[in-house]
Amino acid sequence: MTIPDQVDVAIVGAGISGLTCAHYLMQRDIDCIVFEASTEPGGRVASDDVEGFTLDRGFQVFLTAYPEAQDLLDYDALELQAFEPGALVRYAGVFHRLSDPWRRPQRFWSTATSPVGTLRDKLRIAQFRRRTIRCSLEAIYERPETTTLDMLEQQGISNRMIGQFLRPFLGGVFLDSELATSSRMCEFVFRMFSLGSAALPRRGMRAIPQQLADKLSEGQLQTSCPVAEIHPGEVVLESGHRVSARAIVLATNRTAAENLVDGEQLARENGVACVYFAASAPPVEEAILVLNGDSEGPVNNLCVPSQVASDYAPAGHVLVSVTALDWSDADQLVDEIRAQLTGWFGSAVDEWRHLRTYEIRDALPNQFPPALSPVEKPPVVADGIYRCGDYLDTASINGAMASGRRAAEALILD
């Protein structure tokens, strides 16, 4: 498809925020084109096909309660498959179940008496849950901002409960084992987990941006088309082609945006390593998250995506996903994980075949206070230049969508 020389709006980046921005511009019949450097849309929300397995680039889940997503996505078409609400916590050599008592009331007593935390801790968490769902998101975003760890301690939750359950759980969400992430982000995430399900699309996380991309008209999405420079009213592609535009939207990550235009450094990134194994049998039969409650070894959390959505693995095989937050050498990490999980699941782990390791150093914007003061960052960079991305909101699919919508609204208003 020929790239035009002139367009109303040029969007740089076809991640979730850029595709969302394009969607809202299209609703107002504003001519736009999206330039994407890679071969597929999605940005960090991407998946690869490896030997018949679907490997998301870093373990990710989709939270069905995201309000922005409810407005944009066709959940039925995504064929969402939900995780079991709760977790298995590996603590003191034993797996202990913590279930969501609101969705699994039959497991209330076993959860209440679990040695993970105390009964008082679980009552405190129930109070915290009530606090997050009985108000609006706007009210959460206006509460005093501190770190997640400080807020949990202020709620009266013990260090034992934090270390055994909340640190690996929330740390896996934030990619922050110290729980230094903003308390506003914590309350947002807790609200989303409480009001909806954690799920995977049947065809992998890439199905989410692909659904947004499929709404674009032919030629509106230009993949394998990296942008080299931007100037007021003009985008210069690496090919040398110049495109005049009345407005430009930077829908890249923070680092790429700063490379294209000088701007305020609003966030840094948290990294993660995600290691995938092929196995002949699942280490856990359920579609449930497994957490490391011992705070020892490289494993933070584990799951079997093919137990959630069967298409993640070919027939007769299962896919195991392991997340590590602190690591130095990827090759050594595989051996360390295998040794730790052999202690959890026995010698069967020796037969697991390593498929791929994703080292993602810029996986998620870190949102240490005062990063979310305010939560919603302004989209205007300069006259005719706008920005969007999850670093300008909560670091989530919802935050990326909200930021893309706000960029479109500001552009339309201007």
Side-chain angles (χ1 to χ4, degrees):
M1 187 77 181
T2 303
I3 298 174
D5 295 326
Q6 187 171 352
V7 69
D8 279 344
V9 181
I11 301 174
V12 183
I16 296 291
S17 65
L19 294 170
T20 299
C21 182
H23 169 82
Y24 284 108
L25 293 177
M26 286 173 54
Q27 286 190 329
R28 296 293 294 268
D29 295 323
I30 294 177
D31 180 33
C32 65
I33 189 168
V34 184
F35 296 111
E36 170 55 43
S38 66
T39 58
E40 296 179 348
R44 296 193 306 269
V45 183
S47 312
D48 295 314
D49 294 316
V50 178
E51 302 179 27
F53 294 88
T54 298
L55 308 185
D56 294 329
R57 294 182 195 169
F59 172 60
Q60 305 173 53
V61 298
F62 177 72
L63 302 182
T64 60
Y66 285 149
E68 298 285 339
Q70 290 174 350
D71 291 338
L72 277 180
L73 298 176
D74 181 343
Y75 284 13
D76 290 337
L78 291 175
E79 298 180 79
L80 296 171
Q81 311 294 308
F83 281 80
E84 173 68 17
L88 290 178
V89 180
R90 178 73 177 187
Y91 170 64
V94 179
F95 289 105
H96 303 279
R97 178 187 297 275
L98 290 181
S99 295
D100 182 339
W102 287 270
R103 300 182 207 190
R104 296 293 183 268
Q106 70 274 24
R107 290 182 172 145
F108 170 81
W109 183 248
S110 62
T111 295
T113 58
S114 165
V116 177
T118 65
L119 178 58
R120 175 175 292 184
D121 284 324
K122 289 148 195 171
L123 293 174
R124 299 289 192 194
I125 290 176
Q127 292 171 347
F128 180 57
R129 177 186 185 274
R130 189 183 312 118
R131 162 189 162 107
T132 65
I133 66 175
R134 289 193 173 182
C135 65
S136 65
L137 274 179
E138 291 74 19
I140 288 175
Y141 295 163
E142 292 173 359
R143 285 175 179 159
E145 185 182 20
T146 183
T147 68
T148 291
L149 181 58
D150 285 346
M151 182 188 64
L152 294 175
E153 291 175 343
Q154 290 168 12
Q155 298 296 312
I157 300 172
S158 72
N159 290 334
R160 174 181 163 187
M161 188 62 167
I162 292 171
Q164 292 174 358
F165 172 62
L166 292 171
R167 189 181 298 277
F169 173 60
L170 293 173
V173 175
F174 305 148
L175 308 185
D176 164 29
S177 60
E178 301 302 318
L179 300 187
T181 295
S182 169
S183 56
R184 293 177 177 177
M185 181 65 181
C186 178
E187 291 201 67
F188 165 77
V189 164
F190 224 88
R191 178 186 176 92
M192 294 300 104
F193 273 101
S194 298
L195 295 180
S197 298
L200 295 176
R202 184 176 68 83
R203 294 175 299 280
M205 291 294 290
R206 64 185 165 199
I208 295 170
Q210 190 60 57
Q211 187 179 107
L212 294 173
D214 289 344
K215 296 180 181 181
L216 301 179
S217 302
E218 184 179 0
Q220 277 191 292
L221 174 59
Q222 296 285 336
T223 57
S224 302
C225 200
V227 170
E229 303 173 26
I230 67 164
H231 307 287
E234 185 181 58
V235 169
V236 183
L237 307 181
E238 282 193 1
S239 65
H241 188 89
R242 294 175 177 268
V243 180
S244 297
R246 295 175 60 194
I248 299 168
V249 179
L250 296 175
T252 66
N253 63 25
R254 177 192 60 85
T255 301
E258 290 177 354
N259 288 335
L260 290 170
V261 61
D262 291 333
E264 180 185 3
Q265 292 193 5
L266 292 171
R268 294 172 296 170
E269 281 73 35
N270 291 341
V272 68
C274 183
V275 182
Y276 285 106
F277 296 94
S280 58
V284 290
E285 294 289 342
E286 295 177 85
I288 196 167
L289 185 66
V290 181
L291 302 175
N292 179 3
D294 285 324
S295 301
E296 296 179 355
V299 176
N300 183 79
N301 56 273
L302 170 149
C303 78
V304 186
S306 53
Q307 296 296 98
V308 184
S310 59
D311 284 9
Y312 268 70
H317 300 271
V318 299
L319 178 65
V320 181
S321 168
V322 183
T323 296
L325 301 182
D326 299 298
W327 79 102
S328 55
D329 182 87
D331 294 330
Q332 185 177 351
L333 176 63
V334 174
D335 293 336
E336 292 174 347
I337 286 174
R338 195 184 295 274
Q340 183 175 3
L341 295 184
T342 297
W344 290 15
F345 302 115
S347 60
V349 176
D350 294 335
E351 305 302 319
W352 293 3
R353 185 164 56 86
H354 175 232
L355 289 171
R356 182 170 292 184
T357 297
Y358 290 92
E359 286 188 280
I360 311 171
R361 299 290 178 178
D362 57 351
L364 207 61
N366 99 22
Q367 299 198 311
F368 300 166
L372 293 184
S373 293
V375 172
E376 299 178 350
K377 312 295 188 306
V380 179
V381 176
D383 188 24
I385 300 178
Y386 305 80
R387 61 184 179 178
C388 56
D390 65 350
Y391 68 99
L392 300 168
D393 201 281
T394 56
S396 62
I397 288 175
N398 189 82
M401 289 179 169
S403 180
R405 172 182 52 78
R406 289 199 304 272
E409 290 170 347
L411 192 154
I412 291 166
L413 182 64
D414 290 346

